Amino acid sequence: MRSPKQLAKLAMLLLLALLLLCNGVRNVHCSRIHENSVDLHSLIEFNKSITDDPQGALSNWDTTTHFCHWNGVNCTTTPPFRVKQLKLSGWNLGGQITSSLGNLNFLETLDLSYNNFVGPLPILGNLQRLQTLYLYHNRLNGMIPDSITNCSNLANLDLSANSLVGVIPPKLDLLSNMSYLNLSRNSLAGVIPTKLGFLSNLTVVDLSVNLLVGQIPPKLDLLSKLFYLDLSGNSLVGQIPPRLGFLKNLEYLYLGSNQLEGSIPDELGQLLQLEQLLLGNNKLTGEFPRMPS
Ligand SMILES: *[C@@H]1O[C@H](CO)[C@@H](O)[C@H](O)[C@H]1NC(C)=O
Ligand SMILES: *[C@@H]1O[C@H](CO)[C@@H](O)[C@H](O)[C@H]1NC(C)=O
Ligand SMILES: *[C@@H]1O[C@H](CO)[C@@H](O)[C@H](O)[C@H]1NC(C)=O
Ligand SMILES: *[C@@H]1O[C@H](CO)[C@@H](O)[C@H](O)[C@H]1NC(C)=O
Ligand SMILES: *[C@@H]1O[C@H](CO)[C@@H](O)[C@H](O)[C@H]1NC(C)=O
Ligand SMILES: *[C@@H]1O[C@H](CO)[C@@H](O)[C@H](O)[C@H]1NC(C)=O
């Protein structure tokens, strides 16, 4: 056993060595690291909860180099160098995605798609600059946190092909910049939020293969940029809203494998851009609307 005095001496020596290291060879790195320790510690926390890295994606995540040089990390080009992108797609990473990433408040893109992440979605409510969130093709479970509606710049949200449960956050309409929304192939239940129809920047909505119930929101006709709508493979009931025929730019409309009933509205015949229309496996009756030739 060492005495407390010896231990203190040892600690002092270590500190001295560290300081020398910082002021010497690795001058640049050390000073920069201290500039924004929030980002550094967020990434270290994230790295800690990775249990599996078969392809060595994180092998250069080493505190002797600045984190802006770590694989998958991209920073702002001016000081203080803050993390702008974290992209680690398709590396077969396992473990959980820590909510420490929610402290990277300069983050614009988070892409951890095509991995084997498990556990809940991270809480990212403070990421006001986040534009792209790709967590598709993982094994994430639990609910979509309401706090996601705080990421007011979010334009691309893809959480598809996971095991998410619960409802689509009803306040999704706060994300007025949303353009690409893909929540397909999960176990999301409840209704499609009616206010989705107010997200006028939407171009793609894919909610297919979930457990959604209730009716198709009647007022989606404000979505003038929408060209892709896939609600197939749910348990939607009621009629096809005639106003879907006002979606002038719609090219792909998939409503198959639901429990829709009634006749196919004539208005669908007004969809001049339509390339594909799949309505099979419902309880629809009557005739197919005449399409202008
Ligand atoms: C990341 O995790 C690995 C494995 O646990 C570890 O060896 C490495 O030092 C960690 N890197 C950082 C920057 O924390
Ligand atoms: C980092 O971002 C810059 C500018 O946005 C881009 O030119 C560069 O290709 C990116 N680097 C990586 C590794 O993604
Ligand atoms: C939402 O954003 C505000 C403003 O940036 C922040 O104060 C608040 O803590 C955030 N809420 C959540 C749940 O992250
Ligand atoms: C929407 O995006 C534009 C540019 O992409 C940006 O200028 C604007 O602030 C964003 N709006 C909101 C509500 O975040
Ligand atoms: C949505 O995600 C699923 C599963 O990841 C994918 O197969 C599908 O092509 C995506 N939809 C669109 C419109 O990109
Ligand atoms: C829609 O997107 C454009 C840029 O693509 C942006 O300038 C505009 O602010 C967005 N609209 C809304 C309502 O956020």
Side-chain angles (χ1 to χ4, degrees):
M1 285 294 286
R2 290 171 195 274
S3 72
K5 210 171 164 186
Q6 274 176 312
L7 274 177
K9 214 166 166 184
L10 198 67
M12 284 297 283
L13 275 172
L14 273 173
L15 197 66
L16 196 65
L18 210 64
L19 279 172
L20 281 173
L21 204 66
C22 277
N23 289 320
V25 241
R26 307 209 184 272
N27 186 10
V28 189
H29 295 142
C30 282
S31 56
R32 273 206 214 140
I33 281 166
H34 292 300
E35 264 173 36
N36 47 74
S37 58
V38 173
D39 284 9
L40 175 65
H41 289 290
S42 305
L43 293 173
I44 289 177
E45 277 302 300
F46 169 72
N47 175 62
K48 251 188 221 166
S49 72
I50 307 257
T51 53
D52 218 12
D53 179 10
Q55 288 155 268
L58 306 177
S59 55
N60 78 347
W61 282 41
D62 183 318
T63 43
T64 59
T65 55
H66 193 276
F67 58 77
C68 292
H69 300 305
W70 294 355
N71 183 35
V73 179
N74 205 342
C75 293
T76 55
T77 48
T78 49
F81 303 100
R82 302 290 309 268
V83 179
K84 206 169 109 180
Q85 299 182 339
L86 180 56
K87 289 188 184 178
L88 291 164
S89 174
W91 287 96
N92 290 310
L93 297 171
Q96 297 208 10
I97 304 174
T98 51
S99 290
S100 69
L101 297 183
N103 297 326
L104 299 172
N105 57 4
F106 272 68
L107 202 62
E108 291 174 7
T109 301
L110 177 58
D111 182 357
L112 301 175
S113 58
Y114 284 110
N115 284 295
N116 294 315
F117 285 112
V118 295
L121 294 176
I123 305 290
L124 304 172
N126 273 319
L127 302 186
Q128 304 291 319
R129 292 178 178 83
L130 193 67
Q131 288 172 3
T132 299
L133 179 58
Y134 288 161
L135 300 178
Y136 55 92
H137 281 275
N138 278 288
R139 290 188 277 133
L140 300 167
N141 51 43
M143 309 206 289
I144 302 175
D146 278 335
S147 59
I148 202 162
T149 61
N150 214 7
C151 303
S152 53
N153 266 304
L154 207 56
N156 306 297
L157 177 61
D158 194 335
L159 306 176
S160 65
N162 279 291
S163 304
L164 302 174
V165 296
V167 302
I168 299 173
K171 286 188 184 161
L172 211 66
D173 61 300
L174 293 174
L175 300 175
S176 59
N177 257 5
M178 187 72 79
S179 167
Y180 173 85
L181 176 65
N182 194 344
L183 303 177
S184 83
R185 297 180 189 279
N186 280 290
S187 299
L188 297 170
V191 299
I192 300 172
T194 28
K195 289 177 176 171
L196 202 67
F198 294 119
L199 298 180
S200 57
N201 261 355
L202 280 171
T203 56
V204 171
V205 174
D206 190 344
L207 305 177
S208 61
V209 197
N210 276 291
L211 305 169
L212 300 171
V213 296
Q215 306 203 1
I216 299 174
K219 291 185 184 172
L220 292 177
D221 49 297
L222 288 177
L223 305 182
S224 58
K225 297 180 184 170
L226 196 69
F227 75 91
Y228 188 106
L229 179 62
D230 191 349
L231 305 177
S232 61
N234 282 290
S235 299
L236 301 173
V237 297
Q239 304 201 350
I240 298 176
R243 293 169 84 149
L244 283 189
F246 300 147
L247 293 170
K248 296 264 175 292
N249 286 308
L250 205 59
E251 291 179 36
Y252 304 91
L253 178 58
Y254 304 128
L255 302 175
S257 299
N258 278 292
Q259 288 150 41
L260 300 170
E261 55 192 12
S263 59
I264 302 169
D266 284 340
E267 284 83 349
L268 291 197
Q270 300 169 16
L271 294 170
L272 301 181
Q273 304 295 326
L274 207 58
E275 300 257 341
Q276 284 189 15
L277 174 66
L278 297 180
L279 302 176
N281 214 353
N282 278 295
K283 293 184 269 180
L284 298 166
T285 54
E287 286 184 17
F288 209 75
R290 186 185 294 269
M291 307 295 259
S293 48

